[in-house]
Amino acid sequence: MMQTIVSLCKRRGFVFQSSEIYGGLKSAYDYGPLGVELKRNLMNAWWRDMVHRRENIVGLDASIIMHSKVWEASGHLAGFSDPLVDCKVCKERFRADKAPRREPGSPAPIVLPDKGVAKAMLEILPARFGVELERKGKTLHGATVGARGYVCPVCGSPFLSDERQFNLMFKTSIGPVSPVDTLAQAIERGELHNMEGRDLRRAIEDRLNDGAVYLRPETAQSMFVQFLNVLNAMSMKLPFGIAQMGRSFRNEITVEHFIFRSCEFEQMEMEFFCEPGSDEEWTTYWRDERMLWWKKFSNHPERFRYRPHEKSELAHYARACFDIEYEYPWGWGELEGIANRTDYDLRKHSAASGQKLEYFDPVHKKKITPYVIEPAAGATRGMLVYLLDAYEEEKLESGDTRVVMRFHPELAPIKVAVLPLVKKNGMPEKARTVVNAFFERGINARYDEQHAIGRRYRRHDEIGTPFCLTIDGETLENDTITIRDRDTMKQRRISIGEAVAEVEALLQSS
Ligand code: ATP
């Protein structure tokens, strides 16, 4: 299924591999002519429903590079890292928190690529790890799951390295002095002389940190950092929210499943500040609102579910967290997280900056530090969800199969295609006046005259265009055109003068 979506995305101009002509940059993607429309439509719908439609939520568009102190205070510099583990059998490096969970002490069969490798491993592993193993085909039996309760995701082995932390933030430097010059000067002056091991590493890191800045790994922190400015500028009253969408960057160890996990991606996040004590109610409210929102644009609402985080999974400051998950072709996975972050972030930034990030409660006449509920969604991951959700291979009565992307009309890259039946007899001119009438109303229409009409219908089915309008011989006689519905493929005639109003009404009613 993923392969089908990936190739449709390339063929039809939704998503391309970054820098493809140079062999491609793994984990980076470019959004093509239709992808950029789909992504924008999704993000605009989020902005409209989260910001414009709500009196108590306002927007923000912060810089991607912020003061390094922001990341120090938020804990990202120290803690924004994934615990990484190496498998001692197959050498796979993986994230401990994503590894398959198994009951400690239960059997851990090790599945190797073939019998030959299994035989070779049988010679080595028992002595190395002090276990008795038995080979059946390419599988070694006899090992058991260790106390950490997980095994290698590739071969299933419980023989693993310690967990190591790895920082996910992309680092660069700002200012005229290159940190490499600073380091070179330090070496020249002999400052690193006689140093070795950890001390040497730390000394080099200190020099390289001169002017270090980071690409933000989430959009959230700027909403806390700008809390007071927004509060004062907009005279906000609790409860209120600050919303932001935009690029985030994470040096992910495992990039996987196309645009599901990439190093550069887009997020849609909102920090909702509320009175302590009302936080549980608001967590439930946002959990439900966000689920309804995702389902609203979906053909398969049953593919969405909640997953409450177990106590052991929760960040130490978070009171509760729910993931909204989608059933991807490889299984259930996260799409959005809704977390009750308490007053942790505001307090952290208050302490680190010396600025009191508080709210004056006019009823109780005292200052409080609000609690925060954070619905944090991936926009590019959301786009993948709707690409998967929309895809259908439909068997037709004729025996043919058509591929149709059943995008919700609000998300569809092109809302209406206007097709002259032939490229003559004044049909193109007529079609262009219809297209222009759509542009006047702010509706993204597309004039399309290439190939036979049947192929054009199929093309627009495949890119999810909800309506096709065709100008034919009859149009020239009586000013009527046909309107074809993508989902039912039914056609009917309407008057050309009513085309815009008709399509507008259909788009709004869906
Ligand atoms: P995961 O467990 O999948 O790594 P996360 O819990 O680290 O995700 P958050 O920090 O909660 O993710 O980010 C909020 C949302 O941002 C996620 O639900 C996801 O939709 C999106 N997101 C996070 N990391 C990536 C990524 N590398 N690529 C694409 N989207 C991402």
Side-chain angles (χ1 to χ4, degrees):
M1 177 65 181
M2 278 309 284
Q3 215 32 58
T4 312
I5 292 291
V6 172
S7 64
L8 183 141
C9 279
K10 178 173 173 179
R11 194 172 65 250
R12 291 299 184 196
F14 284 94
V15 183
F16 307 126
Q17 177 73 66
S18 161
S19 324
E20 195 182 286
I21 60 165
Y22 289 104
L25 180 63
K26 206 172 156 229
S27 85
Y29 294 93
D30 295 346
Y31 294 83
L34 296 183
V36 59
E37 300 290 340
L38 176 61
K39 179 150 69 73
R40 280 196 191 159
N41 290 343
L42 174 66
M43 294 175 83
N44 288 343
W46 184 85
W47 194 258
R48 186 202 55 208
D49 291 344
M50 292 296 276
V51 182
H52 290 174
R53 284 205 173 142
R54 297 172 192 267
E55 273 175 34
N56 61 347
I57 300 184
V58 290
L60 182 71
D61 187 4
S63 59
I64 283 173
I65 294 177
M66 295 194 276
H67 201 297
S68 300
K69 291 243 161 78
V70 171
W71 306 114
E72 236 172 79
S74 68
H76 283 82
L77 258 181
F80 201 90
S81 48
D82 286 331
L84 282 190
V85 175
D86 291 316
C87 172
K88 291 183 175 171
V89 177
C90 72
K91 309 291 180 239
E92 174 76 5
R93 177 167 294 175
F94 58 93
R95 278 174 60 173
D97 61 332
K98 300 279 174 206
R101 304 272 131 193
R102 299 278 182 276
E103 190 62 33
S106 62
I110 304 170
V111 184
L112 294 154
D114 55 50
K115 262 202 243 170
V117 180
K119 277 184 189 159
M121 284 296 170
L122 194 60
E123 304 270 296
I124 308 168
L125 299 182
R128 201 159 141 209
F129 299 111
V131 283
E132 272 188 33
L133 295 176
E134 195 185 325
R135 185 181 68 80
K136 276 205 188 109
K138 58 179 186 172
T139 306
L140 301 182
H141 296 273
T144 51
V145 180
R148 280 191 255 160
Y150 60 83
V151 294
C152 168
V154 173
C155 72
S157 118
F159 307 125
L160 309 169
S161 73
D162 288 344
E163 293 182 4
R164 284 169 295 107
Q165 299 294 317
F166 174 85
N167 199 298
L168 284 178
M169 281 202 293
F170 282 104
K171 182 161 140 183
T172 182
S173 64
I174 209 162
V177 184
S178 152
V180 176
D181 290 341
T182 316
L183 177 63
Q185 283 160 11
I187 294 172
E188 265 176 18
R189 285 196 296 264
E191 289 170 16
L192 310 186
H193 195 60
N194 282 342
M195 282 190 176
E196 56 182 33
R198 274 183 175 212
D199 291 342
L200 177 63
R201 200 183 178 286
R202 191 164 301 140
I204 292 175
E205 197 149 27
D206 282 350
R207 304 309 191 285
L208 291 179
N209 275 344
D210 202 13
V213 285
Y214 300 87
L215 303 188
R216 67 179 180 205
E218 58 174 44
T219 58
Q221 293 303 318
S222 53
M223 276 93 97
F224 302 123
V225 174
Q226 294 294 4
F227 170 78
L228 276 189
N229 278 336
V230 173
L231 179 71
N232 295 333
M234 307 302 287
S235 310
M236 304 306 288
K237 301 271 170 291
L238 279 191
F240 75 91
I242 307 178
Q244 174 165 218
M245 49 190 200
R247 301 248 161 183
S248 293
F249 303 82
R250 295 183 191 176
N251 193 3
E252 298 274 10
I253 287 307
T254 344
V255 283
E256 53 185 354
H257 307 309
F258 195 37
I259 56 173
F260 174 81
R261 190 184 306 284
S262 47
C263 286
E264 179 175 346
F265 55 100
E266 299 216 44
Q267 290 187 302
M268 312 184 287
E269 298 193 294
M270 197 268 292
E271 307 302 324
F272 191 77
F273 301 97
C274 63
E275 267 182 55
S278 67
D279 49 310
E280 280 180 25
E281 218 173 290
W282 282 117
T283 308
T284 312
Y285 172 83
W286 282 112
R287 187 197 68 180
D288 295 346
E289 280 285 289
R290 296 301 306 141
M291 180 63 105
L292 283 175
W293 190 83
W294 286 110
K295 286 187 175 174
K296 186 166 86 171
F297 303 106
S298 163
N299 300 296
H300 305 281
E302 73 286 355
R303 292 192 196 157
F304 294 81
R305 75 172 188 195
Y306 293 125
R307 192 180 68 84
H309 279 206
E310 307 275 335
K311 276 237 155 52
S312 59
E313 268 181 281
L314 284 179
H316 59 92
Y317 49 82
R319 275 231 176 135
C321 191
F322 295 90
D323 283 350
I324 292 179
E325 293 191 329
Y326 184 76
E327 194 173 16
Y328 300 95
W330 60 90
W332 291 94
E334 179 175 337
L335 168 62
E336 171 160 359
I338 294 106
N340 178 351
R341 301 179 61 98
T342 68
D343 55 2
Y344 174 82
D345 307 271
L346 288 179
R347 279 196 192 284
K348 273 278 195 187
H349 285 299
S350 289
S353 66
Q355 298 264 341
K356 287 212 154 69
L357 303 180
E358 293 174 334
Y359 172 84
F360 181 73
D361 174 355
V363 179
H364 303 100
K365 306 253 178 302
K366 62 173 181 151
K367 290 197 163 170
I368 58 166
T369 305
Y371 269 32
V372 123
I373 315 303
E374 175 190 82
T380 39
R381 199 175 281 185
M383 181 171 152
L384 174 63
V385 161
Y386 287 126
L387 282 163
L388 291 164
D389 188 271
Y391 185 85
E392 193 180 321
E393 286 171 23
E394 188 183 2
K395 282 255 172 304
L396 302 176
E397 276 172 18
S398 62
D400 286 355
T401 303
R402 73 162 179 157
V403 170
V404 51
M405 291 300 275
R406 296 194 193 275
F407 290 127
H408 188 283
E410 196 169 337
L411 302 185
I414 297 168
K415 310 298 177 201
V416 54
V418 184
L419 321 171
L421 187 63
V422 288
K423 284 191 236 178
K424 53 186 185 194
N425 303 340
M427 289 185 202
E429 293 75 14
K430 249 274 122 62
R432 287 215 156 86
T433 50
V434 177
V435 169
N436 287 336
F438 278 102
F439 290 149
E440 295 282 305
R441 299 289 305 159
I443 296 172
N444 189 19
R446 179 61 57 100
Y447 173 85
D448 188 352
E449 61 172 25
Q450 270 180 45
H451 304 301
I453 192 75
R455 271 180 78 184
R456 277 181 269 169
Y457 287 148
R458 285 289 175 277
R459 182 161 67 233
H460 282 283
D461 286 345
E462 219 186 352
I463 62 173
T465 308
F467 305 105
C468 287
L469 300 179
T470 305
I471 316 286
D472 55 16
E474 214 180 313
T475 314
L476 306 177
E477 285 163 22
N478 61 10
D479 262 349
T480 61
I481 52 179
T482 61
I483 176 166
R484 175 185 181 273
D485 182 286
R486 172 196 72 198
D487 294 335
T488 61
M489 295 189 293
K490 293 232 161 73
Q491 300 189 24
R492 60 196 166 87
R493 287 200 88 82
I494 58 171
S495 121
I496 201 165
E498 286 165 10
V500 174
E502 177 84 26
V503 169
E504 219 169 8
L506 287 169
L507 289 173
Q508 264 160 21
S509 67
S510 45

